[in-house]
């Protein structure tokens, strides 16, 4: 391994509807969006085009118009690289893996500057087609898919079990959605920015009991680009940067929901990955100033906040209701608005988490700035937390 990895800059488009009707006369082209983001991110990082030595892309949706996107983009950008040019895929963990691999390229000495980037286009595809594709991608086709068992279904079971086991209330869990929408109202990249009340959340139609419309992620398009570099390069600019201090990963050897009886609301993978990241960074959970977590539903944010050590088991929902995870609280979580309000273009979601951490750690998050934020944490997920990837960053100003 070769030195430390810095995050120097980032860019992203607002999450929402960007994809064109597949049958329309004009098309929004993925490579045109990404090319602009590369230029913006390089400018943000104060690097030149010739500095870039590697490109790690998130694999695009199957219905993305341009296939073999990573090598197409290398050509479109006229960007020869000695480091890797590749795509990665891991369902909801895809973007976290792209960030991870970009960091690895620098650690291995294969490049001094590497971009982690990608685009997720899905809003113009019918809900039926998208749901069928998602079920085949996230579940066992002989069990989950044939029963129409979507990811929200197992998160709903988590919520039911959590309320039964710990006596948490529906209102406490729903308060996460209110908090996330408040944070999103301060974020220009967020898909939904109109504040909502607890009454609004509870009044929405159910998606899968007990989770309602505002407690599950919307569909949307997104694209983001992160600039990673050796600390030597980052230091040479004379500008602030975020240093990657810790990394942890664990896969339970299970696909989504395991048929082997286990503690379904412990999120063991996040417990182990988080502990490994803290050890490498030389810190503890209490040192984290801000966390951007991969939490598709309100209950997931509650349980992962416990798995990462911010709260004892069974206390996450009450803590959220007491505003301990809101801006100004003890440990602000999802200051971007989270997946329920910022949006969830799944294959690039964790890149948006990094974008938020960069803004926070470089003290440029505006109205949602966490005061004196030094340590930040971000997570990626693969299924019902059968696998988790955690990164810890430190502000260097």
């Amino acid at each position: 391994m070769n030195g430390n990895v810095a995050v120097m800059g980032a860019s992203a488009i607002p999450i929402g509807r960007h994809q064109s009707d597949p049958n329309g006369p004009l098309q929004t082209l993925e490579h045109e969006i990404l090319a602009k983001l590369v230029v913006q991110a390089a400018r943000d990082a104060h690097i030149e085009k010739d500095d870039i030595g590697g490109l790690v892309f998130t694999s695009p949706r199957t219905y993305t118009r341009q296939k073999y996107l990573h090598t197409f983009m290398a050509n479109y950008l006229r960007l020869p690289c000695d480091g890797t040019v590749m795509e990665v895929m891991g369902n909801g963990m895809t973007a976290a893996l792209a960030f991870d691999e970009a960091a690895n390229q620098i650690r291995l000495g294969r490049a001094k500057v590497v971009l982690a980037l990608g685009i997720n286009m899905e809003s113009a595809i019918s809900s039926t087609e998208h749901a069928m594709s998602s079920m085949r991608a996230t579940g066992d086709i002989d069990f989950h898919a044939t029963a129409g068992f979507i990811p929200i279904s197992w998160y709903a079971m988590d919520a039911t079990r959590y309320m039964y086991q710990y006596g948490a209330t529906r209102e406490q869990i729903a308060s996460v959605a209110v908090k996330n929408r408040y944070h999103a109202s301060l974020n220009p990249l967020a898909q939904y920015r109109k504040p909502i009340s607890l009454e609004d959340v509870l009044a929405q139609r159910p998606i899968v009991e007990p989770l309602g419309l505002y407690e599950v992620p919307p569909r949307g398009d997104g694209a983001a680009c992160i600039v990673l570099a050796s600390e030597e390069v980052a230091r040479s600019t004379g500008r602030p940067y975020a240093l990657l201090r810790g990394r942890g990963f664990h896969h339970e050897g299970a696909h989504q929901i395991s048929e082997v009886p286990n503690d379904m609301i412990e999120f063991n993978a996040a417990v182990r990955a988080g502990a490994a990241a803290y050890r490498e960074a030389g810190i503890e959970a209490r040192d984290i100033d801000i966390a951007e977590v991969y939490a598709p539903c309100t209950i997931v944010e509650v349980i992962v906040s416990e798995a990462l050590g911010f709260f004892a088991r069974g206390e996450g929902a009450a803590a959220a209701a007491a505003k301990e995870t809101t801006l100004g609280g003890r440990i602000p979580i999802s200051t971007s608005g989270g997946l329920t309000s910022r949006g969830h273009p799944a294959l690039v979601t964790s890149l948006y988490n990094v974008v938020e951490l960069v803004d926070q750690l470089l003290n440029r998050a505006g109205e949602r700035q966490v005061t004196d934020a030094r340590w930040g944490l971000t997570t990626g997920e693969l299924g019902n937390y059968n696998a988790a990837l955690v990164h810890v960053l430190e502000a260097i100003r």
Side-chain angles (χ1 to χ4, degrees):
M1 295 300 177
N2 188 21
N4 293 324
V5 177
V7 183
M8 296 178 61
S11 62
I13 61 173
I15 298 173
R17 293 184 177 273
H18 298 279
Q19 189 180 39
S20 306
D21 181 338
N23 299 315
L26 296 175
Q27 298 294 320
T28 300
L29 300 176
E30 296 92 348
H31 57 275
E32 292 182 350
I33 292 175
L34 278 176
K36 291 178 181 178
L37 291 182
V38 169
V39 172
Q40 292 169 6
R43 185 181 300 126
D44 185 40
H46 288 255
I47 61 167
E48 300 296 329
K49 178 180 177 179
D50 292 344
D51 295 328
I52 300 170
L55 302 167
V56 183
F57 291 81
T58 62
S59 186
R61 290 290 192 185
T62 55
Y63 21 75
T64 298
R65 296 186 66 83
Q66 179 62 55
K67 306 300 182 183
Y68 206 22
L69 184 62
H70 63 291
T71 193
F72 179 90
M73 283 299 303
N75 170 74
Y76 188 73
L77 294 167
R78 295 294 190 266
L79 190 55
C81 296
D82 292 324
T84 296
V85 176
M86 64 181 294
E87 293 177 15
V88 300
M89 177 60 181
N91 282 347
M93 195 182 284
T94 298
L97 288 170
F99 179 82
D100 202 54
E101 178 58 27
N104 287 341
Q105 291 296 309
I106 296 165
R107 283 185 170 132
L108 291 169
R110 293 173 179 166
K112 291 186 177 181
V113 178
V114 179
L115 306 184
L117 69 166
I119 188 165
N120 182 110
M121 298 289 254
E122 63 179 57
S123 66
I125 304 302
S126 73
S127 296
T128 300
E129 181 180 351
H130 182 70
M132 291 300 294
S133 176
S134 294
M135 281 191 287
R136 294 180 64 193
T138 59
D140 180 335
I141 61 170
D142 290 328
F143 170 41
H144 303 132
T146 55
F149 200 65
I150 61 175
I152 306 303
S153 304
W154 60 68
Y155 293 137
M157 290 195 298
D158 291 341
T160 300
R161 179 67 190 184
Y162 187 91
M163 289 189 291
Y164 168 78
Q165 186 163 323
Y166 295 118
T169 66
R170 182 78 184 77
E171 290 78 7
Q172 287 175 329
I173 295 173
S175 70
V176 174
V178 180
K179 179 266 298 181
N180 281 348
R181 186 61 67 86
Y182 164 62
H183 290 171
S185 72
L186 307 175
N187 184 5
L189 297 178
Q191 186 169 2
Y192 292 105
R193 300 183 62 190
K194 181 180 178 181
I196 54 177
S197 67
L198 184 60
E199 291 71 23
D200 293 331
V201 178
L202 297 175
Q204 296 306 303
R205 61 182 174 87
I207 301 302
V208 181
E209 289 283 3
L211 302 175
L213 181 64
Y214 288 170
E215 296 180 87
V216 302
R219 289 178 61 195
D221 308 320
C225 178
I226 311 295
V227 179
L228 296 89
S230 67
E231 188 176 16
E232 177 187 13
V233 170
R235 194 184 296 118
S236 71
T237 68
R239 300 176 60 82
Y241 54 90
L243 201 60
L244 179 57
R245 289 295 196 186
R247 180 261 193 197
F249 173 85
H250 182 71
H251 194 298
E252 292 187 317
H255 184 61
Q256 311 303 110
I257 292 181
S258 174
E259 71 279 10
V260 179
N262 64 359
D263 186 337
M264 65 186 291
I265 55 174
E266 183 185 21
F267 284 2
N268 178 59
V271 171
R272 295 186 60 163
Y278 293 145
R279 280 196 304 272
E280 186 173 293
I283 63 170
E284 299 178 358
R286 63 186 178 187
D287 296 312
I288 297 295
D289 299 304
I290 176 176
E292 278 290 313
V293 298
Y294 188 102
C297 300
T298 48
I299 185 60
V300 180
E301 183 174 306
V302 168
I303 298 176
V304 77
S305 72
E306 298 174 3
L308 294 169
F310 301 140
F311 307 105
R313 292 198 64 187
E315 296 181 3
K323 298 190 175 181
E324 292 188 44
T325 60
T326 303
L327 279 166
R330 181 165 68 84
I331 171 64
I333 295 179
S334 299
T335 55
S336 67
L339 280 61
T340 58
S341 285
R342 181 199 65 203
H344 182 34
L347 300 186
V348 295
T349 287
S350 289
L351 290 183
Y352 276 89
N353 289 354
V354 176
V355 169
E356 179 67 13
L357 281 194
V358 170
D359 282 345
Q360 290 285 353
L361 296 179
L362 300 190
N363 198 36
R364 61 187 197 189
E367 293 180 89
R368 65 186 191 284
Q369 180 65 50
V370 175
T371 304
D372 298 325
R374 176 185 174 187
W375 292 98
L377 175 148
T378 183
T379 70
E381 170 195 327
L382 183 60
N384 193 34
Y385 267 87
N386 60 329
L389 179 56
V390 176
H391 293 103
V392 172
L393 284 74
E394 181 187 12
I396 306 296
R397 304 188 184 104

